Amino acid sequence: MINAVGRDIPDAVLAETGKTVFRGSRHFDGYSYEKTAVKARARIGGEGSKLEKDLQEVLRKCNAHDGMTISFHHHFREGDLVAMQVMQAIHDMGFKNITICASSLSKAQDALVPMLEDGTVTHIESSGVRGKIGEAISEGKLQGIAILRSHGGRVRAIETGETKIDIAFIGAPSCDEYGNCRAVGGNSNCGVLSYSAIDAEYAEYVVVLTDCLVPFPNFPADISMTDVDYVLKVDAIGDPEKIATGAARPVTDRRKLMMAESCAKFIAATPYFKEGFTFQTGIGGAASATALCLSEKMREKNIHMGFGAGGMSKPMCDLLDEGLVSCLLDTQDFDLPSIENLISHPKHFSISTKEYADPFCKGAVVNKLDFV
């Protein structure tokens, strides 16, 4: 069937996913829907602790089963240790036909490939697939379909019930015994937990893995105790030094710098480049460098940015420190300086991915952007 941009989508894919072809974003303007129901469990009295000692026991308590859907977030990027700890336990327990719904997958999860081949994992839903997992999918080693969505589209799929998460696993740099999570305050700070907020709200069970237990209450919490079922203390959840790897390294490639300079010139030549303009940059080398080049244009014309949004890196934080941008709306931190800036600067705000880009909500930050 032909979609709104002229691509022929195989009928077999539509039948397996239950989807219809894309008919254009404007088709959904004003669209109304019912959010999916969430099973809730009361927790009355008790010892005031959700601490568990064994991951396999936690899986049993969460009714782990063949064919379940589990989720992970990618705020630790290439330093993530949570996903493979969980998947190894699932593999050891013999579960099959697992769907992984991750905000992104990278080479930190390369060890998943044998689990694709033996049928432990048969479906993947993500906003990005890199490394050996991407190669394995391209080579047909995944038995089911891989669905890639935008970050906002992932929120929509969970909220509408298109994707139903049985168990969400959240790596938290600090957590108290009752489940209040923060993305800072521990050994493996990642800055924000924006991608996992929707998982915590809609998953049937929510399990927090942390390598830093702190006294109750761990406030202000990025993920609240009201959404958490179990807390598991592990040796390590991630290596924060590996957040600033790959595309997050400082840009020295002359070709990428030339691209960034051209982008900044183009932005400065448009009528949208005026006092209070809004801007988002990603973590690609040229994209990060564009923020640096753009700052020169802003100083030349004495123009200030209204807000900067999306994933943050040092160049964007430098704009905030200099007063060239009024505030930052942060969904992910790509390097250690951006994490430190989030902790120290009162105008560096953490926002959820729903607030950032959910297309089925009453207003998202992406709708307010002039440049991306």
Side-chain angles (χ1 to χ4, degrees):
M1 186 177 295
I2 305 298
N3 68 12
V5 293
R7 292 181 180 143
D8 189 2
I9 307 301
D11 291 339
V13 172
L14 298 176
E16 180 169 340
T17 61
K19 291 178 173 292
T20 58
V21 295
F22 178 65
R23 289 174 287 175
S25 59
R26 292 297 181 187
H27 174 81
F28 290 101
D29 194 22
Y31 174 76
S32 63
Y33 67 100
E34 291 187 8
K35 295 180 181 180
T36 189
V38 180
K39 183 180 289 186
R41 285 172 296 277
R43 192 182 186 101
I44 301 172
E47 299 178 358
S49 175
K50 301 175 183 177
L51 277 175
E52 297 288 335
K53 296 181 180 179
D54 182 76
L55 182 52
Q56 291 195 10
E57 180 61 24
V58 168
L59 285 164
R60 283 187 281 268
K61 287 186 175 183
C62 292
N63 190 32
H65 57 276
D66 290 345
M68 65 181 170
T69 296
I70 63 174
S71 73
F72 304 104
H73 67 82
H74 73 289
H75 287 291
F76 297 111
R77 294 172 58 76
E78 292 180 5
D80 179 68
L81 300 175
V82 171
M84 290 316 306
Q85 289 184 67
V86 172
M87 287 309 304
Q88 189 60 56
I90 287 173
H91 186 268
D92 292 345
M93 295 174 76
F95 293 118
K96 297 290 185 179
N97 193 29
I98 304 301
T99 295
I100 292 180
C101 176
S103 54
S104 191
L105 295 169
S106 68
K107 67 180 183 181
Q109 293 85 36
D110 277 351
L112 277 177
V113 172
M115 299 185 194
L116 271 60
E117 296 171 336
D118 69 11
T120 301
V121 177
T122 54
H123 293 77
I124 287 176
E125 300 183 17
S126 183
S127 296
V129 181
R130 299 173 177 82
K132 293 182 180 179
I133 305 173
E135 293 175 6
I137 293 172
S138 298
E139 294 166 0
K141 294 180 180 179
L142 184 70
Q143 295 177 20
I145 288 178
I147 299 176
L148 301 187
R149 300 184 177 94
S150 66
H151 289 313
R154 179 178 185 269
V155 173
R156 176 208 55 79
I158 294 170
E159 193 171 60
T160 60
E162 181 180 323
T163 294
K164 175 60 179 174
I165 299 171
D166 294 298
I167 313 174
F169 295 93
I170 299 174
S174 67
C175 186
D176 62 38
E177 63 180 4
Y178 218 38
N180 293 298
C181 305
R182 297 190 69 201
V184 296
N187 308 310
S188 308
N189 291 343
C190 61
V192 297
L193 291 173
S194 305
Y195 290 113
S196 56
I198 193 71
D199 306 53
E201 185 177 357
Y202 283 94
E204 184 161 343
Y205 290 94
V206 176
V207 178
V208 174
L209 285 77
T210 187
D211 53 14
C212 181
L213 280 173
V214 297
F216 178 91
N218 188 27
F219 285 174
D222 294 300
I223 303 295
S224 171
M225 59 187 169
T226 59
D227 289 320
V228 174
D229 292 284
Y230 300 106
V231 177
L232 187 70
K233 174 69 165 59
V234 296
D235 292 335
I237 58 172
D239 179 358
E241 294 293 338
K242 291 186 178 180
I243 294 174
T245 59
R249 294 191 184 102
V251 181
T252 57
D253 184 281
R254 184 57 196 161
R255 180 177 62 88
K256 292 180 179 179
L257 287 172
M258 290 175 67
M259 292 168 62
E261 291 165 358
S262 295
C263 285
K265 289 178 182 178
F266 174 79
I267 290 172
T270 69
Y272 302 102
F273 186 64
K274 58 185 178 181
E275 183 68 20
F277 78 97
T278 57
F279 179 79
Q280 174 184 323
T281 182
I283 196 51
S288 294
T290 298
L292 289 171
C293 298
L294 193 60
S295 65
E296 299 174 5
K297 305 295 183 183
M298 293 166 66
R299 295 186 195 97
E300 288 174 8
K301 297 189 176 184
N302 193 27
I303 288 174
H304 300 81
M305 190 186 300
F307 69 80
M312 294 300 156
S313 57
K314 187 177 184 299
M316 290 297 290
C317 295
D318 288 344
L319 294 183
L320 182 64
D321 289 338
E322 189 178 340
L324 290 175
V325 57
S326 64
C327 66
L328 298 180
L329 308 180
D330 190 341
T331 59
Q332 185 178 185
D333 292 307
F334 294 123
D335 53 27
L336 298 179
S338 60
I339 295 172
E340 294 164 359
N341 187 267
L342 175 70
I343 295 171
S344 63
H345 204 294
K347 290 293 185 178
H348 189 155
F349 304 115
S350 169
I351 62 171
S352 70
T353 318
K354 177 181 177 65
E355 293 169 311
Y356 161 56
D358 178 8
F360 274 21
C361 71
K362 296 179 181 179
V365 167
V366 292
N367 299 335
K368 305 288 287 182
L369 286 167
D370 292 320
F371 300 101
V372 181

